[in-house]
Amino acid sequence: MDGKAILRFSAGERIFHWAYFVSFVVLAVTGAFLYVPWLAFAVGEAGETSRLLHRLFALGFLASPLLPLFIAPRRYLGNLGEAFSWGSEDVRGLWVILTRYYWSGNQRGLPPQGKFTAGQKLHVMMQFIASAVIGVTGFILWFGPGYVSAGWLAWSLLLHGLSGG
């Protein structure tokens, strides 16, 4: 080995990752003001600033997955295709990870993995679903008051918080 690093992800993919991460952290912090009682001091001007930041970073959060699609569409779609394709090796790998490797570090029986391990594939799928729920419920919470029933708003708030947390 010549000591050169092998990059698994392109610069565009890393930019997407950091944009997504920073947006998520800001959204988690600003969203916490709604759910954590001891943060109730953030009302008035601080609360308004928090709501504004939450809405601005929500747009970045929803737009960030589009960055690599424009930068390297073929690679991005290939990664998504691989992340959403499951075979018997992935199921077996996930089983070995959950029953043995996670608890003891024992790799015996762990099948070869592609670019993404079964755990990473599961994570991508969960992020995809949670982000879709966050996007839809966030849209309802942002634009729904006065247009949707209190029941829709209550369910949206619950699902939004569960998906984001």
Side-chain angles (χ1 to χ4, degrees), residues 42-95:
V43 293
E45 287 185 35
E48 290 301 317
T49 302
S50 177
R51 280 189 281 282
L52 177 62
L53 284 173
H54 196 78
R55 290 174 175 165
L56 290 173
F57 277 85
L59 297 174
F61 178 79
L62 294 173
S64 65
L66 300 176
L67 288 173
L69 184 60
F70 292 115
I71 295 170
R74 179 178 264 167
R75 184 176 171 116
Y76 182 67
L77 294 174
N79 283 342
L80 277 181
E82 185 172 341
F84 279 93
S85 66
W86 283 72
S88 60
E89 298 286 308
D90 294 307
V91 175
R92 195 173 89 214
L94 192 57
W95 177 253

Side-chain angles (χ1 to χ4, degrees), residues 17-43:
H17 176 81
W18 281 104
Y20 189 81
F21 169 75
V22 169
S23 296
F24 182 84
V25 169
V26 171
L27 290 169
V29 170
T30 57
F33 291 121
L34 300 171
Y35 292 99
V36 181
W38 55 269
L39 293 175
F41 67 86
V43 293

Side-chain angles (χ1 to χ4, degrees), residues 121-135:
K121 288 180 177 187
L122 188 61
H123 178 75
V124 167
M125 291 172 63
M126 296 301 289
Q127 284 289 318
F128 187 84
I129 292 166
S131 295
V133 172
I134 288 169

